[in-house]
Amino acid sequence: MNRIAVLGSANMDLVVRQTRLPQPGETIFGTGFHTVPGGKGLNQAVAAARLDGEVDFLGAVGADAYGAQLRDVLATEGIRSEGVAVSTEPTGTAHISVVDSGENSIVVVSGANATVTDLSAAQRATIAGAAFLVMQCELPVAVLVQAIAVAREAGVFTVLTPAPVMPLPEGFLASVDLVVPNQIEAEQLTGESDPVRAAESLSAGATWAIVTLGAEGSVIAYNGEVLGLAPARPVQAVDTTAAGDTFVGALVARLALSTGAVTEETMVDALRWATVASSISVTRVGATTSMPTLTEVAAILA
Ligand code: RIB
């Protein structure tokens, strides 16, 4: 089995359900509150593991109750966590408002995630020994740059969710094998509001790009050319938190089943699995709590 190294954030999500977002200076009542293990990195690791991916998670948590809970999640999901540091900073938290339409707004307080500034020798070895490196932008950019360098030297296929969008070094995006932004992130990165044009731009130079469009599906492009539009599976969304993370985790888990190089055929097949996995996740509440198993996705694709 091809191993997947996920380098990324681990947060405890503090989720408030509410009918609408308050105006500045306004107080409103929420309709519910719950805590859910999350963080874009942890989410992608869990999504891949639920689809039978062999996953190593690399990151940091605090020496606190939330950190212990997140480490328990890794153990329960069968994700290797030797590469998770325990920091003197508190575990990262994400403050999430979910409104009745299922849309969410998120404020992340990085905490321990911000201490992941350098890769250890063991973390470098884990990346070099993997077939896939999966990253997002909730860790310091410096460590993402280090990881890409290790991966490229070892011939590891690299996947980046450029969220939240932040300034990246010149050439960084083009050095990634697959970039998976949502439509807003794609526009912020390229200046193109048309997702087809954005996908073309992001995929220039032998890069894969998949721009996710929520209920509209996704656009896939390679080497500056759009290959097609994958429709979404229609569902009634109750919470879209981590739908994009579920998509990426499932996509990579499916790609990791193939022994050879990533091809258009394997990418299109993986896209079908990712589309179904994320469609299931939006029908459930929370981040890691919403992700489907291999059996659930396979049942729909059968
Ligand atoms: O992508 C969803 C995730 O973003 C949440 O789980 C939250 O922790 C933030 O990182």
Side-chain angles (χ1 to χ4, degrees):
M1 168 73 82
N2 289 317
R3 293 204 71 84
I4 301 164
V6 179
L7 172 66
S9 57
N11 298 328
M12 186 56 75
D13 291 354
L14 311 176
V15 184
V16 175
R17 286 211 75 103
Q18 52 205 74
T19 53
R20 62 179 176 84
L21 295 177
Q23 302 294 321
E26 184 188 20
T27 301
I28 64 170
F29 286 106
T31 56
F33 172 77
H34 52 275
T35 57
V36 186
K40 295 187 195 306
L42 184 74
N43 291 342
Q44 295 184 357
V46 170
R50 294 243 174 110
L51 263 70
D52 280 6
E54 297 274 346
V55 183
D56 287 85
F57 183 64
L58 312 173
V61 296
D64 49 27
Y66 287 160
Q69 281 178 259
L70 299 182
R71 291 170 72 85
D72 283 350
V73 169
L74 293 169
T76 304
E77 300 289 342
I79 297 167
R80 285 179 52 174
S81 61
E82 286 85 347
V84 178
V86 177
S87 166
T88 52
E89 292 296 316
T91 297
T93 50
H95 305 257
I96 304 184
S97 303
V98 182
V99 295
D100 287 347
S101 64
E103 295 299 318
N104 62 69
S105 314
I106 303 179
V107 178
V108 172
V109 179
S110 292
N113 296 306
T115 67
V116 186
T117 51
D118 276 305
L119 292 173
S120 67
Q123 288 173 325
R124 287 171 186 269
T126 297
I127 293 170
F132 294 87
L133 169 66
V134 179
M135 304 190 300
Q136 324 74 38
C137 292
E138 285 184 341
L139 295 185
V141 172
V143 82
L144 307 184
V145 171
Q146 288 178 20
I148 287 283
V150 172
R152 287 184 71 80
E153 193 175 330
V156 177
F157 189 93
T158 54
V159 181
L160 178 74
T161 297
V165 170
M166 60 176 56
L168 295 168
E170 182 78 26
F172 180 81
L173 273 182
S175 71
V176 171
D177 293 306
L178 166 63
V179 60
V180 191
N182 65 24
Q183 187 171 2
I184 294 167
E185 292 150 3
E187 180 175 354
Q188 289 173 342
L189 290 166
T190 64
E192 300 279 3
S193 57
D194 175 354
V196 169
R197 301 283 293 272
E200 286 170 348
S201 167
L202 287 167
S203 69
T207 296
W208 292 92
I210 299 177
V211 178
T212 60
L213 309 173
E216 304 304 317
S218 57
V219 178
I220 180 168
Y222 179 66
N223 205 15
E225 279 184 35
V226 165
L227 303 176
L229 171 69
R233 178 172 163 261
V235 290
Q236 183 67 48
V238 297
D239 183 354
T240 58
T241 307
D245 299 330
T246 305
F247 183 97
V248 169
L251 185 95
V252 176
R254 187 69 186 170
L255 287 174
L257 287 180
S258 304
T259 46
V262 171
T263 64
E264 182 172 341
E265 188 184 358
T266 59
M267 191 64 86
V268 168
D269 167 74
L271 183 55
R272 288 174 63 234
W273 284 71
T275 300
V276 170
S278 62
S279 78
I280 296 171
S281 77
V282 301
T283 65
R284 300 172 180 167
V285 170
T288 50
T289 44
S290 69
M291 292 163 181
T293 61
L294 179 68
T295 308
E296 289 175 304
V297 178
I300 289 170
L301 285 170

